[in-house]
Amino acid sequence: MFPMDIWFTYTTACVLLVLSPGPDNLLAIGRGLSQGRLAALVSGLSSGLGILFHVTTASLGLTLLIQTSTVAFWVVKLVGAAYLLWLGIKVLRAKSLITFAPAARQPLRSILLTGFLSAALNPKPGLFVLAFIPQFINPALGSVTVQMLVYGFWFALLTAVGFSLMGIFATRLSQYIYKRPRLANGLNLGAGLTFIVSGLSIAALSQK
């Protein structure tokens, strides 16, 4: 059902996508810099769960509904854009994504929820899953639903592992940044602007 050559090609494409800069891996890196490896691991895991949410809903037809229904598409798009904009403004105002102040540390539950919502409320991954994964599915090899779920789970796992590793290795920079508060402020500024730009790009996303 899963030929090795197709699996290798699919895995390579997923890895390249995971390595591409975006708000979700930036979250994991920020958590790793400010709160250490466990926070980075939780943030990466939450992003993987968000991708898994899109895979499951795509398999159940919700993502197809978003793609074909104008109302559903606009609702998901506006909610996702508003959340990222709110997250970006919050980071810019509080400068709390990359920080070393103990009082500003976020509980792991909050980190998990933030990472999950960042991925789950963004319609781009859902539309990507619907457009990307079916290219590797061959109905002649077995159940389309099973293939969709397996490929999707693998993508979610690679996302969780990749983002977690980014955050974990980012902790090595913590002492360097700790001694340079201006650099930390600059990183928070860049992170906040990235979330805002991502939110605006989602708001401008057109239904195809």
Side-chain angles (χ1 to χ4, degrees), residues 47-131:
S47 294
L49 290 175
I51 296 297
L52 193 59
F53 167 81
H54 283 293
V55 171
T56 304
T57 55
S59 300
L60 297 177
L62 180 58
T63 302
L64 180 61
L65 174 64
I66 292 174
Q67 191 179 45
T68 57
S69 169
T70 302
V71 174
F73 175 82
W74 273 93
V75 168
V76 173
K77 184 179 79 164
L78 292 179
V79 170
Y83 179 75
L84 285 177
L85 287 171
W86 172 80
L87 198 59
I89 293 172
K90 180 181 178 182
V91 170
L92 289 177
R93 293 183 62 184
K95 299 180 180 179
S96 59
L97 180 61
I98 299 173
T99 178
F100 302 97
R105 293 174 68 88
Q106 298 291 316
L108 295 180
R109 181 170 56 184
S110 176
I111 292 174
L112 180 67
L113 181 61
T114 300
F116 174 77
L117 290 177
S118 178
L121 293 180
N122 186 345
K124 284 185 175 181
L127 297 176
F128 170 81
V129 165
L130 193 64

Side-chain angles (χ1 to χ4, degrees), residues 21-23 26 80-89 92 122 124 189-205:
L26 186 59
Y83 179 75
L84 285 177
L85 287 171
W86 172 80
L87 198 59
I89 293 172
L92 289 177
N122 186 345
K124 284 185 175 181
L189 176 62
L193 291 177
T194 298
F195 288 126
I196 290 176
V197 170
S198 297
L200 293 175
S201 68
I202 291 174
L205 190 67

